Amino acid sequence: KAGVTQTPRYLIKTRGQQVTLSCSPISGHRSVSWYQQTPGQGLQFLFEYFSETQRNKGNFPGRFSGRQFSNSRSEMNVSTLELGDSALYLCASSRGAASQETQYFGPGTRLLVL
Amino acid sequence: DAKTTQPPSMDCAEGRAANLPCNHSTISGNEYVYWYRQIHSQGPQYIIHGLKNNETNEMASLIITEDRKSSTLILPHATLRDTAVYYCIVRVGTNAGKSTFGDGTTLTVKP
């Protein structure tokens, strides 16, 4: 079974631009979560989607948004990029949202904001 | 979700067992203990999880104390490829998306 895939793997943007990252979960998984990882802050939860609905949200500004499609694929958008948005963005999928879940992570998208 | 405490770093000789401790003294009755590892800033890799009982899979064993306030991840025969940052997290299943990863333990396996 294929794992979680994320595209693109690397991205360079400039301040003020916007970016869209994509995540394809493991087949059959309906929940997708997004995380930001930086050397200073570690791995921080952004949001979780399940059946096209946002279930949980972390403490990030409104510039960070996401959505999930009917095929469970998810996109994350960051508008008006800031230097501090440079990070590894990780996506994780899990089977369902009702009981104990194991999250499986993708390889991440490394974003550099200049 | 409960907070976890792990030592920042540990060394282990290749071929020996690596025992990674984790304290989670504020764990609730319905929170699971999960272990992940991350190699070279790749995505975290799931290792094992448990609620009360000890668990074992092809990668590792998880020992949870009877009071559930701490746990130990055991890699029975560490190899150089096990060098990674190991994260212990506790979370409620229904809030899986809110997993909070601490700083983890950097395990260095030495030849």
Side-chain angles (χ1 to χ4, degrees):
Chain A
K1 186 183 274 191
V4 179
T5 59
Q6 292 186 246
T7 57
R9 293 293 311 279
Y10 303 92
L11 204 51
I12 299 176
K13 291 285 188 178
T14 56
R15 280 181 298 174
Q17 288 186 309
Q18 75 163 11
V19 67
T20 299
L21 311 181
S22 181
C23 171
S24 293
I26 293 171
S27 177
H29 285 196
R30 298 168 63 192
S31 175
V32 172
S33 297
W34 288 89
Y35 294 83
Q36 180 197 66
Q37 187 172 33
T38 60
Q41 298 296 320
L43 219 157
Q44 296 185 290
F45 169 73
L46 280 155
F47 28 67
E48 178 196 2
Y49 285 87
F50 177 76
S51 294
E52 303 178 65
T53 301
Q54 188 179 88
R55 292 185 65 236
N56 288 301
K57 190 176 188 304
N59 295 321
F60 278 81
R63 301 186 296 108
F64 292 81
S65 63
R67 59 177 176 169
Q68 187 180 33
F69 302 95
S70 58
N71 62 357
S72 295
R73 190 177 69 86
S74 177
E75 287 182 347
M76 191 193 91
N77 185 274
V78 187
S79 62
T80 319
L81 284 166
E82 301 176 359
L83 295 180
D85 296 333
S86 295
L88 180 67
Y89 290 88
L90 292 158
C91 159
S93 76
S94 53
R95 188 176 304 278
S99 61
Q100 71 172 76
E101 302 167 14
T102 297
Q103 290 184 304
Y104 296 91
F105 284 81
T109 293
R110 187 165 294 282
L111 172 65
L112 177 62
V113 181
L114 301 176
Chain B
D1 292 340
K3 180 179 169 57
T4 62
T5 304
Q6 300 177 253
S9 63
M10 292 182 63
D11 291 341
C12 177
E14 188 178 19
R16 304 296 294 271
N19 297 294
L20 292 91
C22 178
N23 286 321
H24 30 79
S25 58
T26 60
I27 192 171
S28 301
N30 59 348
E31 287 184 310
Y32 292 81
V33 179
Y34 276 78
W35 283 84
Y36 287 83
R37 72 181 183 184
Q38 190 171 26
I39 300 173
H40 294 309
S41 293
Q42 299 173 19
Q45 176 189 24
Y46 165 77
I47 301 173
I48 198 168
H49 74 283
L51 182 63
K52 295 180 183 178
N53 302 319
N54 299 336
E55 303 288 343
T56 296
N57 62 21
E58 64 279 2
M59 289 183 67
S61 295
L62 174 61
I63 308 297
I64 303 174
T65 58
E66 193 168 339
D67 62 8
R68 302 187 70 238
K69 292 185 177 182
S70 66
S71 61
T72 300
L73 177 74
I74 301 172
L75 307 178
H77 305 287
T79 70
L80 298 180
R81 287 187 292 183
D82 292 322
T83 294
V85 179
Y86 287 77
Y87 295 100
C88 164
I89 63 172
V90 293
R91 59 180 174 85
V92 179
T94 53
N95 279 324
K98 283 198 140 181
S99 302
T100 300
F101 286 68
D103 293 333
T105 296
T106 298
L107 174 69
T108 302
V109 181
K110 299 184 175 181

